[in-house]
């Protein structure tokens, strides 16, 4: 089922900031790409766990869009010792620990993509939390959302809900308008949507 076919599609495609929260193997990364495809032709992903080549391959296979229409900040390749250099739509950061450089590279891509109005993704907050306290990542997230909000670009982040304590999860969900919970069930992967002031929707397959 495509995102557009879900009964909850307007809540997923019209909201300006979304965080996808769920355990491993519950479809968070794929859902992120499906939302990229549903929201427009261009995307920009801050990737802490997949290199730029894998991101583009996944983006193309999941969305059907050309891999050249997604810009990537790759926090993986340099850490693994790859000999790579920045290009117009691919920027490299030494590791997910380097938040300052991550912010600089994002600003560079913001300038590059100013006319393209991409959907921004961050995959994932959990890997940033391996290096920093929740308060620091909260501040980083707020700054990111402020930047994308000023540009009018929707933003989608991902977090592993089983890796962190309840207070950390609560802190990192707070800046986002909408929370999408994912889980695995006997029938397959399911999601539900929670807004700031609304009760969760029923679980449904995706």
């Amino acid at each position: 089922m495509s995102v557009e076919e879900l009964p909850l599609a307007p809540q997923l495609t019209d909201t300006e900031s979304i965080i996808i929260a769920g355990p491993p193997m519950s479809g968070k990364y794929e859902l992120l790409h499906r939302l990229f495809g549903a929201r427009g032709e261009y995307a920009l992903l801050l990737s802490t766990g997949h290199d730029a080549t894998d991101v583009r391959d996944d983006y193309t296979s999941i969305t059907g869009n050309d891999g050249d229409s997604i810009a990537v900040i790759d926090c993986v390749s340099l850490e693994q010792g790859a000999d790579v250099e920045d290009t117009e739509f691919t920027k490299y950061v030494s590791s997910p620990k380097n938040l300052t450089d991550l912010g600089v590279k994002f600003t560079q891509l913001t300038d590059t993509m100013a006319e393209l109005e991409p959907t921004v993704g961050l995959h994932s907050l959990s890997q940033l939390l391996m290096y920093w306290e929740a308060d620091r990542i909260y501040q980083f997230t707020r700054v990111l959302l402020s930047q994308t909000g000023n540009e009018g670009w929707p933003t989608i982040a991902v977090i592993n809900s089983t890796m962190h304590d309840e207070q950390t999860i609560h802190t990192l969900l707070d800046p986002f308008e909408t929370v999408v919970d994912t889980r695995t069930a006997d029938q397959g992967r399911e999601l539900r949507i929670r807004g700031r002031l609304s009760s969760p929707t029923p679980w449904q397959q995706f």
Side-chain angles (χ1 to χ4, degrees):
M1 180 186 295
S2 70
V3 169
E4 293 91 336
E5 293 170 329
L6 288 167
L8 302 173
Q11 290 168 268
L12 290 172
T13 56
D14 295 344
T15 307
E16 290 307 307
S17 63
I18 293 173
I19 184 163
I20 304 169
M25 310 302 291
S26 61
K28 301 185 297 300
Y29 178 67
E30 181 182 337
L31 181 58
L32 169 66
H33 280 283
R34 289 169 67 181
L35 287 170
F36 279 160
R39 281 174 167 264
E41 183 179 356
Y42 295 98
L44 192 174
L45 182 63
L46 290 73
S47 177
T48 61
H50 301 271
D51 65 39
T53 299
D54 287 345
V55 167
R56 290 196 166 93
D57 288 345
D58 294 335
Y59 177 78
T60 299
S61 65
I62 294 169
T63 69
N65 292 343
D66 191 295
D68 291 338
S69 64
I70 182 169
V72 183
I73 300 175
D74 176 342
C75 300
V76 177
S77 294
L78 290 175
E79 192 172 38
Q80 293 179 343
D83 183 14
V84 290
E85 294 184 359
D86 287 357
T87 65
E88 185 179 20
F89 287 97
T90 307
K91 306 298 181 185
Y92 296 95
V93 175
S94 57
S95 97
K97 183 178 182 180
N98 195 339
L99 288 183
T100 300
D101 203 21
L102 190 57
V104 169
K105 302 290 185 176
F106 177 74
T107 299
Q108 291 174 1
L109 284 178
T110 300
D111 295 338
T112 300
M113 305 189 79
E115 305 300 321
L116 302 179
E117 299 183 354
T119 299
V120 175
L122 198 171
H123 186 277
S124 78
L125 291 172
S126 291
Q127 282 167 302
L128 299 181
L129 286 164
M130 294 172 64
Y131 300 98
W132 297 94
E133 296 294 326
D135 288 347
R136 180 70 179 87
I137 301 306
Y138 171 83
Q139 293 299 330
F140 175 82
T141 303
R142 291 298 297 261
V143 171
L144 177 69
L145 290 174
S146 176
Q147 287 182 271
T148 57
N150 288 339
E151 298 290 341
W153 298 350
T155 304
I156 306 161
V158 175
I159 192 167
N160 184 330
S161 60
T162 60
M163 279 183 63
H164 317 290
D165 61 67
E166 185 175 340
Q167 181 58 46
T168 296
I169 293 293
H170 177 77
T171 298
L172 271 298
L173 298 189
D174 180 70
F176 295 87
E177 293 176 79
T178 299
V179 178
V180 179
D181 297 307
T182 61
R183 70 179 185 183
T184 54
D186 292 341
Q187 295 77 23
R189 297 175 309 190
E190 296 181 335
L191 65 77
R192 68 177 183 181
I193 297 176
R194 295 184 275 145
R196 288 185 182 277
L197 303 175
S198 60
S199 300
T201 64
W203 289 95
Q204 65 175 269
Q205 287 184 272
F206 72 96

